Amino acid sequence: MGKQKSMEAPSSSSLRWTDRMDKFFIDALMNEVVLGNRVDGSFTSHAYDNIVKECSEKMKLPLTKDHLKNRLKTIKKNFNEVFDLFGASGWGWNEVTAMFEYEDEVWDSLLQRKPEAKKWKNTPFPHFNLLAKLLSKDRATGDESGTAKEKRVHMTPTITESSDKSEGTMEGKMGDSKDSADSKKGKKRKATEDIFREEISIIKQGLDNVAQALREGNEVIEKGRPQVYTTQEVFEELSRMELDPITRRKAYRFLNAKQMRVRELFGLPPEERMVYLMEMMINE
């Protein structure tokens, strides 16, 4: 028998991405950001190696870097379009329907100004919140799939800002180059710290909610739970009554035999307890 043929990678045109596949992909991208494998808005080769491996295993498909780069290019294009239309204008994004929602008159006004928004009125855009965390800060750097020349153009404003501080000297430019590199490293660290801080905040909020629910539950339990009196409290109460030692010992055994008797007795005003105790012992 011949050897079983290994699964061939699908062509980019034949590969159909689903929302579930996109979620795997976006999660993998976010993880690489946390690991520091995105530099100047572009994912490193090492990042793509990790993502190819992770997504291929989860999706059960022999994916390649080209598959992922092409998909990211499409995701960025759609995100930029959606973000420009809705991201900064206070529109509500419904996580359940994965669509932007507002009154019809607001939609009508938007469509008059931007007819291209029509397709998003009834078209879901899943994972918008995740993509906003991943892509909104890097939109100024352009599409990472662009050419090296395009990337240099996108980087020019950053270099120009550094050059303005150098007062035109060569020493200043060299110093600013170092400052720029340090600044990029600082931004990468800050982006990673921001993601960690946000995730920790979400976890903390969840733990706070659980703790609050436990506290409220314990309060309800405590309110509904009958009070239990100790034998010492029973003896101290009997000692305050004018009882002879024999009667006091009998009353002590009688009350401690059933907590219900103790609660019944302690529910009365102190001045009525002795008479009620005698009545209970006689009628028992």
Side-chain angles (χ1 to χ4, degrees):
M1 295 179 64
K3 293 183 179 180
Q4 186 177 358
K5 296 177 66 176
S6 60
M7 187 182 298
E8 295 183 358
S11 64
S12 296
S13 59
S14 65
L15 181 60
R16 294 291 179 265
W17 287 80
T18 65
D19 291 344
R20 186 167 176 269
M21 292 165 66
D22 279 340
K23 181 62 165 58
F24 286 144
F25 184 30
I26 295 168
D27 286 344
L29 291 170
M30 293 285 286
N31 188 48
E32 293 306 311
V33 173
V34 172
L35 295 175
N37 293 330
R38 182 173 63 170
V39 181
D40 298 335
S42 298
F43 288 93
T44 64
S45 296
H46 181 61
Y48 273 111
D49 289 339
N50 293 338
I51 298 171
V52 167
K53 184 176 184 297
E54 180 178 344
C55 289
S56 295
E57 291 175 354
K58 290 184 176 180
M59 300 180 197
K60 311 297 184 188
L61 287 171
L63 299 174
T64 65
K65 287 185 182 181
D66 286 339
H67 288 134
L68 301 181
K69 288 185 176 182
N70 289 335
R71 186 55 185 171
L72 183 56
K73 184 177 181 180
T74 300
I75 288 175
K76 278 190 171 185
K77 177 180 178 296
N78 290 333
F79 173 77
N80 289 340
E81 181 179 337
V82 169
F83 189 86
D84 288 340
L85 289 170
F86 310 107
S89 57
W91 284 69
W93 186 74
N94 187 320
E95 190 168 355
V96 177
T97 63
M99 293 192 295
F100 291 89
E101 297 180 344
Y102 226 89
E103 290 81 1
D104 288 340
E105 54 269 24
V106 178
W107 265 108
D108 293 340
S109 175
L110 175 64
L111 294 177
Q112 288 179 4
R113 292 180 287 109
K114 299 181 178 181
E116 66 274 15
K118 182 178 180 180
K119 73 174 183 179
W120 297 113
K121 185 174 183 180
N122 298 307
T123 302
F125 189 80
H127 321 304
F128 176 77
N129 286 344
L130 282 175
L131 290 172
K133 295 176 185 177
L134 180 68
L135 302 176
S136 59
K137 292 182 180 179
D138 300 318
R139 294 177 72 241
T141 64
D143 193 325
E144 75 167 12
S145 62
T147 64
K149 179 180 179 181
E150 290 170 337
K151 291 183 181 180
R152 285 196 298 273
V153 171
H154 289 308
M155 293 171 62
T156 300
T158 303
I159 297 172
T160 301
E161 291 175 3
S162 299
S163 298
D164 289 339
K165 298 175 184 177
S166 67
E167 298 181 358
T169 64
M170 181 61 69
E171 292 81 4
K173 291 180 180 178
M174 293 176 64
D176 286 336
S177 296
K178 182 178 184 301
D179 292 341
S180 178
D182 291 341
S183 175
K184 291 172 184 175
K185 292 180 181 177
K187 288 179 180 179
K188 184 174 74 174
R189 285 194 299 269
K190 185 177 184 303
T192 302
E193 291 170 358
D194 287 345
I195 292 174
F196 274 126
R197 192 177 294 111
E198 184 172 357
E199 291 177 347
I200 291 171
S201 176
I202 293 171
I203 293 171
K204 182 179 181 300
Q205 182 62 46
L207 292 175
D208 289 344
N209 291 341
V210 172
Q212 181 62 29
L214 290 174
R215 285 194 294 270
E216 293 174 355
N218 288 337
E219 289 175 2
V220 171
I221 292 173
E222 289 297 328
K223 290 178 181 177
R225 179 183 297 162
Q227 184 173 352
V228 176
Y229 296 92
T230 66
T231 55
Q232 182 179 355
E233 289 173 324
V234 173
F235 184 80
E236 289 175 354
E237 178 59 26
L238 292 174
S239 298
R240 285 190 282 268
M241 299 180 184
E242 296 179 359
L243 299 171
D244 61 82
I246 296 176
T247 303
R248 184 166 59 242
R249 287 195 295 271
K250 288 182 178 180
Y252 180 78
R253 287 194 297 269
F254 173 78
L255 291 174
N256 285 323
K258 292 183 180 180
Q259 268 290 320
M260 182 181 66
R261 295 170 180 170
V262 181
R263 291 194 294 271
E264 192 174 338
L265 180 66
F266 278 56
L268 293 171
E271 62 272 13
E272 297 183 19
R273 292 176 182 175
M274 181 174 175
V275 174
Y276 191 76
L277 173 63
M278 296 299 103
E279 291 176 352
M280 280 198 300
M281 293 177 67
I282 291 171
N283 293 330
E284 185 67 22

